[in-house]
mmCIF file of all heavy atoms in Angstrom:
data_model
loop_
_atom_site.group_PDB
_atom_site.id
_atom_site.type_symbol
_atom_site.label_atom_id
_atom_site.label_comp_id
_atom_site.label_asym_id
_atom_site.label_seq_id
_atom_site.Cartn_x
_atom_site.Cartn_y
_atom_site.Cartn_z
ATOM 1 N N MET A 81 76.186 41.962 71.896
ATOM 2 C CA MET A 81 76.964 43.007 71.299
ATOM 3 C C MET A 81 76.114 44.084 70.674
ATOM 4 O O MET A 81 74.937 43.886 70.432
ATOM 5 C CB MET A 81 78.031 42.406 70.336
ATOM 6 C CG MET A 81 77.492 41.438 69.372
ATOM 7 S SD MET A 81 78.752 40.962 68.026
ATOM 8 C CE MET A 81 79.784 39.831 68.822
ATOM 9 N N SER A 82 76.712 45.183 70.310
ATOM 10 C CA SER A 82 75.982 46.276 69.688
ATOM 11 C C SER A 82 75.537 45.822 68.303
ATOM 12 O O SER A 82 76.091 44.968 67.678
ATOM 13 C CB SER A 82 76.822 47.557 69.649
ATOM 14 O OG SER A 82 77.884 47.349 68.549
ATOM 15 N N GLY A 83 74.463 46.420 67.793
ATOM 16 C CA GLY A 83 73.973 46.132 66.414
ATOM 17 C C GLY A 83 75.128 46.315 65.370
ATOM 18 O O GLY A 83 75.226 45.527 64.472
ATOM 19 N N ARG A 84 75.926 47.274 65.574
ATOM 20 C CA ARG A 84 77.036 47.588 64.609
ATOM 21 C C ARG A 84 78.087 46.524 64.654
ATOM 22 O O ARG A 84 78.526 45.991 63.588
ATOM 23 C CB ARG A 84 77.646 48.892 65.054
ATOM 24 C CG ARG A 84 78.390 49.618 64.017
ATOM 25 C CD ARG A 84 78.962 50.859 64.498
ATOM 26 N NE ARG A 84 79.999 51.238 63.509
ATOM 27 C CZ ARG A 84 80.235 52.368 63.247
ATOM 28 N NH1 ARG A 84 79.616 53.411 63.751
ATOM 29 N NH2 ARG A 84 81.347 52.689 62.431
ATOM 30 N N ALA A 85 78.282 45.971 65.903
ATOM 31 C CA ALA A 85 79.370 44.844 66.017
ATOM 32 C C ALA A 85 78.780 43.603 65.392
ATOM 33 O O ALA A 85 79.450 42.823 64.791
ATOM 34 C CB ALA A 85 79.690 44.689 67.461
ATOM 35 N N ARG A 86 77.435 43.439 65.538
ATOM 36 C CA ARG A 86 76.829 42.364 64.940
ATOM 37 C C ARG A 86 76.847 42.354 63.428
ATOM 38 O O ARG A 86 76.976 41.360 62.705
ATOM 39 C CB ARG A 86 75.424 42.193 65.521
ATOM 40 C CG ARG A 86 74.891 40.767 65.557
ATOM 41 C CD ARG A 86 73.804 40.653 66.493
ATOM 42 N NE ARG A 86 72.784 41.688 66.564
ATOM 43 C CZ ARG A 86 72.467 42.298 67.664
ATOM 44 N NH1 ARG A 86 72.979 41.900 68.895
ATOM 45 N NH2 ARG A 86 71.562 43.291 67.672
ATOM 46 N N ASP A 87 76.538 43.446 62.927
ATOM 47 C CA ASP A 87 76.692 43.702 61.435
ATOM 48 C C ASP A 87 78.005 43.404 60.958
ATOM 49 O O ASP A 87 78.217 42.731 59.915
ATOM 50 C CB ASP A 87 76.286 45.159 61.028
ATOM 51 C CG ASP A 87 74.865 45.414 61.188
ATOM 52 O OD1 ASP A 87 74.032 44.493 61.429
ATOM 53 O OD2 ASP A 87 74.482 46.623 61.259
ATOM 54 N N TYR A 88 79.037 43.811 61.630
ATOM 55 C CA TYR A 88 80.405 43.502 61.261
ATOM 56 C C TYR A 88 80.700 42.000 61.271
ATOM 57 O O TYR A 88 81.190 41.488 60.342
ATOM 58 C CB TYR A 88 81.499 44.246 62.222
ATOM 59 C CG TYR A 88 82.831 44.029 61.830
ATOM 60 C CD1 TYR A 88 83.496 44.931 61.020
ATOM 61 C CD2 TYR A 88 83.597 42.887 62.277
ATOM 62 C CE1 TYR A 88 84.815 44.745 60.620
ATOM 63 C CE2 TYR A 88 84.817 42.700 61.892
ATOM 64 C CZ TYR A 88 85.437 43.602 61.092
ATOM 65 O OH TYR A 88 86.759 43.344 60.723
ATOM 66 N N PHE A 89 80.144 41.380 62.351
ATOM 67 C CA PHE A 89 80.282 39.915 62.453
ATOM 68 C C PHE A 89 79.754 39.206 61.260
ATOM 69 O O PHE A 89 80.420 38.410 60.622
ATOM 70 C CB PHE A 89 79.728 39.392 63.851
ATOM 71 C CG PHE A 89 79.202 38.008 63.703
ATOM 72 C CD1 PHE A 89 80.117 37.003 63.841
ATOM 73 C CD2 PHE A 89 77.826 37.819 63.537
ATOM 74 C CE1 PHE A 89 79.602 35.670 63.783
ATOM 75 C CE2 PHE A 89 77.345 36.561 63.462
ATOM 76 C CZ PHE A 89 78.225 35.400 63.623
ATOM 77 N N ARG A 90 78.570 39.684 60.909
ATOM 78 C CA ARG A 90 77.788 38.958 59.818
ATOM 79 C C ARG A 90 78.515 39.258 58.497
ATOM 80 O O ARG A 90 78.673 38.297 57.695
ATOM 81 C CB ARG A 90 76.335 39.617 59.789
ATOM 82 C CG ARG A 90 75.347 38.586 59.263
ATOM 83 C CD ARG A 90 74.004 39.217 59.128
ATOM 84 N NE ARG A 90 73.348 39.742 60.340
ATOM 85 C CZ ARG A 90 73.155 40.985 60.580
ATOM 86 N NH1 ARG A 90 73.447 41.946 59.715
ATOM 87 N NH2 ARG A 90 72.599 41.427 61.756
ATOM 88 N N ASN A 91 78.989 40.483 58.289
ATOM 89 C CA ASN A 91 79.526 40.774 56.968
ATOM 90 C C ASN A 91 80.980 40.157 56.789
ATOM 91 O O ASN A 91 81.448 39.959 55.764
ATOM 92 C CB ASN A 91 79.758 42.257 56.855
ATOM 93 C CG ASN A 91 78.321 42.850 56.669
ATOM 94 O OD1 ASN A 91 77.437 42.237 56.116
ATOM 95 N ND2 ASN A 91 78.148 44.177 56.996
ATOM 96 N N HIS A 92 81.693 40.052 57.923
ATOM 97 C CA HIS A 92 83.088 39.527 57.785
ATOM 98 C C HIS A 92 83.315 38.083 58.154
ATOM 99 O O HIS A 92 84.262 37.508 57.667
ATOM 100 C CB HIS A 92 84.038 40.426 58.645
ATOM 101 C CG HIS A 92 84.170 41.780 58.219
ATOM 102 N ND1 HIS A 92 83.212 42.775 58.341
ATOM 103 C CD2 HIS A 92 85.145 42.361 57.535
ATOM 104 C CE1 HIS A 92 83.575 43.936 57.779
ATOM 105 N NE2 HIS A 92 84.812 43.618 57.192
ATOM 106 N N HIS A 93 82.495 37.471 58.976
ATOM 107 C CA HIS A 93 82.800 36.137 59.418
ATOM 108 C C HIS A 93 81.776 35.152 58.964
ATOM 109 O O HIS A 93 81.978 33.880 59.143
ATOM 110 C CB HIS A 93 82.848 36.108 60.943
ATOM 111 C CG HIS A 93 83.950 36.987 61.543
ATOM 112 N ND1 HIS A 93 85.188 37.057 60.908
ATOM 113 C CD2 HIS A 93 83.981 37.825 62.559
ATOM 114 C CE1 HIS A 93 85.896 37.875 61.635
ATOM 115 N NE2 HIS A 93 85.231 38.435 62.671
ATOM 116 N N LEU A 94 80.697 35.541 58.306
ATOM 117 C CA LEU A 94 79.599 34.617 57.833
ATOM 118 C C LEU A 94 79.472 34.648 56.384
ATOM 119 O O LEU A 94 79.547 35.643 55.728
ATOM 120 C CB LEU A 94 78.324 34.861 58.527
ATOM 121 C CG LEU A 94 77.990 34.684 59.983
ATOM 122 C CD1 LEU A 94 76.576 34.868 60.261
ATOM 123 C CD2 LEU A 94 78.469 33.298 60.308
#
Side-chain angles (χ1 to χ4, degrees):
M81 51 173 76
S82 69
R84 207 182 154 141
R86 208 159 38 238
D87 289 346
Y88 182 93
F89 152 78
R90 210 183 301 116
N91 292 332
H92 288 79
H93 298 318
L94 284 191

